[in-house]
Every structure is written in C-alpha cells, then in structure tokens.
Amino acid sequence: MIDQVTIETRGGAGGNGAVSFRREKFVPLGGPDGGAGGRGGHVIVVARTQPNTLNRYRRQRIFQAEDGRHGASKKRRGRDGEDLILEVPTGTVVVALGERGKPDGQLADLDEDGAGILIAQGGRGGCGNTFFKSASNRAPRIAQRGHRGAVMRALLELRLIADVGLVGLPNAGKSTLLRRLSAARPRVGAYPFTTLEPNLGVAAVGWEEFVLADLPGLTEGASAGAGLGHAFLRHVSRTRLVVHLLDGSGEAPLAAHDSINRELAAYSDEMARKPQIVVINKIDRADVAARQDELAAAFAARGVTPLFLSALSGEGAEALAKRCLRDLRDQRAREAAQPRELSVLRPPAKRRRFSIEREGTGIFRVRGERLETFVEMMDLDDVEARQEVHRWLDRRGVGAALRKAGVQPGHAVRVGEAEWLWES
C-alpha cells in the first residue's frame, strides 16, 4: 500500500485578453470590443471511498489544470479552464510543503467522503482592451496577458479510518486474529514482520459491525521512525479503540506491554489517551494456559484486566468482539456529546494595500498582492501599456508614494517579477 506521496500541482494559466475594435457597416467609430480571457482551472483534492490507495500518484507526480481560453472580439470572454479533480482515499491528510520539501502546515484532513480542498488556484484571465477604455483614451490598443496559475507542492498522507486498531510486537498474532474476527485474509507467517502494510476487515456482532485494522508490528524506537515507525503510528492515530495484543508465550509480556505504550506516548499525547483493551494471545498452548492466573495477577497489579484468547483456535474471540463493540458504543457516545472541530483552511491575512522598499541605489520595490498581479499581466515592453500602468498606479496613490520615497526618472521600479525605469 502506498500511503504517503509527494505531488506538485499547478493551476491553469488565465487566458489573454483580446485587442479588437468593432467594425460594422454604418458604425465607423465602433470603439474597442476585445473580451477578457478565461480563468485558469483550479486543482482540487477530493476524498472518495474509492480508490482506497494512493497508488495512482506513485507513477505521476505533476498535475496541471487546464489553461483558460483567450478573449475574442465582440466582447466575448474566453472559456474558463476546467478544474482538475484529484481523487484520494477518504482519510487522506493534505500537507503543504515549503522550501526543500519541508512540511509547511496541514491544509486539510479529508476524513469524509466528498470533502475537498482547492490547493492550486487558477490564474486570472487578462482584461481585453475594452477594460482600458476611458475618456482620455478612447481607442486603447493594449490588453493583459493571462496570469500564471499557482504552484503548490503537497504531501498526501493516507491514514486508515478504522474503528479498532490491532497493535502489538511483531509476530504477536494480529493477522491471525483479524482472520478470525472478519472475512479479511491477510498474509500469515510464523516469523516477524509478515505484515508489511495495513489490512482492514469488518467484524460482525449480531446485526452490528465495526472495522478493524491489522497494523504492521511495532518496534522499539518507532516513534522516532525506526522499523515501520511512523507508517504504523500514522494509522493508529485514526482509530477510536486500540486492541493491544500480547504474545502469551513470550518471555516478558509485561515488558512488551510497556514497550508499545512508550512508543504510543512518545508519538503523541492523544495516542497515549486512546482507550485500550489488553489481550493475551496463544492460550491454546499449554505453557500459556498454565501462566494465565500469573499473568492476570501481574496486569491486575497495574490496574489492567486483560482478556485471554487464542487467535488460532478462536477461543475467547467472540468475547473480545463483544467487548470492542461495547467500548466503541461508549466512545461514539462521548464523541457525539462533544461539538466537532472542523479543519478550516483560512486565507492568509491580507497585507497592507501596498508598501515601498529600497533595494539598493536607484532601485525601489513596490509590494502588494493586487498591484503585483496587475503589473505582471501587462506587457511593459509596449509603450502604451507602460503608460497605462503609470496611470493605474497613480490612481491608487503609488506614484505619489514613490515620488515621496525619492524615485527619480531613470530609477528602477520593481513590482512582483516586473521591472521598468521610472519615467516621470
């Protein structure tokens, strides 16, 4: 199972605005009628019950939405680019990646079918020459380019959604127990680390059902990434109830119990607080049956009442299933009584309208999201476009602020990725 992949998403570029003039019989001065370009498509991640793995994203890692269409004459706006929908399994967490691939914060926890998040926004379509018509410029011959789409690198991390997670040291019998309690058929072997990826099964008690996850064996240091490490603990974090399976034939079941609990606590406080059922396996063996009272007393001294069963023969399995169902009912009732906190992606706080900084002798940087987008979409090699940018900046007080900051003709002005020499 591929349960963690890195992808790069790119929103579609906006379409270019059109430069066009109305030309009809008996309308000699028709004026500009160039339409705007369409918006680029967004990239949206949506949770679905199918597929149930992230295998698709192992082969393809770069995803780009469709570009918007260009504007046309008669004020026709270009068609918006189609959004690109990336379907992921329900239970996928989307994490933004910053520089050098380091996590930069969780964007969303898609734990319900149909939940989605827009992670790469499409670029704005450019304005046609109709937009630039004014009393002083009745026949503008300029239009904007479409703006590029946003680029986002993200980590998709699948966390299985199961009611009960089976945990224990390697070869404790988790896969055998899953086969006993459900119709799942995970691989079983008489050696450690037979299970290398999680397996799910549905257990039935009367008319009620719950989902079990047989999770890869835990080792010392897993909370720091040793062995299957975080790949194991990531899935446990999603479960409501933990069944802690111990090998009764092992030399030190108490030490094994402590070892796993230490790793759960080291991974997170929430993991340490999860309800837990301690189960001692392999009572079909004579040596384990003989130690049953001794083990029960040892765990009772810790305030733990363990269950005993044989995953191989099925003895005690029904009692465990009933106990799981009872504890799950209690857990669900507690969850229902508490208001659920939804993960909400909030936009970053808006920056000031604009700011001006000196970046060296004769170099001025203007910062402001709206200004940067507008200027980057203009063709500054065109004299008329450059004059329009100057007028646009003056109307918003940027020209006056630049002059107050000391800009002189011939100085360089930078807005976003654009740069030109100040003329007045």
Side-chain angles (χ1 to χ4, degrees), residues 10 23 39 57 62 65 123 158 184 218 231 244 254 273 278 281 330 332 339-340 346 375 414 424:
R10 301 170 183 172
R23 292 291 181 262
R39 169 187 61 77
Y57 305 103
I62 299 176
L158 175 59
L218 188 60
H244 190 154
L254 291 172
R273 292 194 298 268
V278 175
N281 188 22
D330 294 342
R332 288 167 182 157
R340 185 181 175 192
R346 301 186 184 280
V375 173
R414 294 174 179 171
S424 62

Side-chain angles (χ1 to χ4, degrees), residues 5 24-25 27 31 34 52 103 109-110 162 171 176 196 204 239 244 257 300 310 346 352 354 397:
V5 295
E24 296 181 25
K25 192 175 182 180
V27 187
N52 53 18
D109 184 353
L110 307 179
N171 212 30
T176 304
L196 297 177
T239 60
H244 190 154
H257 180 250
S310 168
R346 301 186 184 280
R352 294 189 317 175
F354 66 85

Side-chain angles (χ1 to χ4, degrees), residues 320-376:
L320 172 61
K322 290 179 178 179
R323 169 71 182 278
C324 288
L325 186 59
R326 187 188 73 195
D327 288 2
L328 283 172
R329 286 175 184 153
D330 294 342
Q331 184 68 7
R332 288 167 182 157
R334 284 192 293 270
E335 291 175 3
Q338 298 177 351
R340 185 181 175 192
E341 295 183 5
L342 296 175
S343 298
V344 178
L345 176 61
R346 301 186 184 280
K350 291 183 179 180
R351 291 187 286 179
R352 294 189 317 175
R353 206 158 50 104
F354 66 85
S355 62
I356 296 174
E357 304 169 4
R358 280 182 176 267
E359 292 191 337
T361 304
I363 302 174
F364 294 80
R365 164 73 67 180
V366 181
R367 298 188 186 277
E369 292 179 12
R370 187 179 177 192
L371 298 180
E372 291 172 17
T373 299
F374 181 88
V375 173
E376 287 174 4

